[in-house]
Amino acid sequence: GIQQLTSDYYAKGAISSLVKILRDPTLSTHHQEVVQVIVQKIFKNLEAKCVPYLPLIIPPIFHVLETCEPGFRKFLFVQLATIVAITKQHIREYLQDIFDMIHKNWEVTYFVSILQLIEEIGKALKDEFKNYLPKLLPKIVNIIYTVDKSSTDVISKVLLSFETFGTQLDDYLHIVIPAIVLVFESKDSSDQLKMLAIETLKRLSTKLNFSDYISRIIHPLVRVLSQSNKLDLYMITMDTICELIYQLGYDFISFIPMLQKV
């Protein structure tokens, strides 16, 4: 009762004071520390009880995002991801502004931070997130085609986001599968990245029906088996093929002669 009221009173007072600093452009050198305290200390401590304070903190974060330098902007996208992870579906009211900000800053500098934010939104909204995929997913897939394959952190984040979306990718397999295949077939991809791409296919195959795309998956996987001299890469490829055999059953028979040659 009284203890809870006191706690809420001090939380609101602290947030209000910190937001004043955040709104003051002459105190911009303190803005990162302010956001860090609000999100990592106060919001994480309050957990779901921080929801009433969203109207206090989200608008000034948006304002700072518009005007700050790139390094701080990356930090703010990560902090927004944390806020979404804490508040979950209660972030819904601010989603349009968040997505506007994401689309406005869609460049390689921010990809890892933005994808982390998108992942958290996907987890928070669950099935409702599917409404946002038509605009988002083609841009996410396109990252694989446009960034250098040596950008392991960026492409890894794309692959992890595919896993997060899971069954919601059902209508987009025609663009997702070729992109994943490109990662593990590219000579510029590291072995670690190739394994992650193949592992992503394996995990998605347990949630989605790949039967219409099996030929486009099996042939590249067999090429990996025939060309690889790395045991780890060979094993994850075989595991993935076994998962596909389990999913397809008798429909896989036509691919057995090709596997036997390997």
Side-chain angles (χ1 to χ4, degrees), residues 158-209:
V158 172
L159 294 171
L160 289 171
S161 70
F162 289 159
E163 282 192 47
T164 301
F165 303 154
T167 55
Q168 299 185 57
L169 294 177
D170 194 38
D171 295 332
Y172 304 94
L173 291 180
H174 62 288
I175 61 172
V176 170
I177 287 175
I180 297 174
V181 168
L182 177 67
V183 175
F184 68 75
E185 284 229 284
S186 173
K187 60 180 176 54
D188 298 320
S189 296
S190 65
D191 286 341
Q192 180 188 4
L193 194 57
K194 288 177 182 180
M195 286 191 288
L196 181 59
I198 294 169
E199 181 76 29
T200 301
L201 266 184
K202 178 189 170 188
R203 289 177 180 162
L204 287 177
S205 73
T206 65
K207 304 173 185 176
L208 295 155
N209 186 344

Side-chain angles (χ1 to χ4, degrees), residues 25 38 45 52-53 71 92 124-125 147 150 213 215 233 239 249 256 262:
I38 291 173
N45 186 51
Y53 305 115
R92 194 181 284 112
L125 294 188
V147 305
S150 61
Y213 304 92
S215 183
L233 184 56
D239 283 351
I256 290 177
V262 179

Side-chain angles (χ1 to χ4, degrees), residues 31 44-45 52 63 80 83 92 107-108 123 125 127 134 137 140 149 160 178 201 206 212-213 219 237 259-260:
H31 286 176
K44 276 191 172 179
N45 186 51
H63 177 72
L80 275 174
I83 290 172
R92 194 181 284 112
E107 53 188 88
V108 68
K123 291 174 188 173
L125 294 188
D127 290 344
L137 197 62
I140 294 173
K149 296 300 176 291
L160 289 171
L201 266 184
T206 65
D212 290 343
Y213 304 92
H219 283 89
T237 305
L259 272 176
Q260 286 174 331

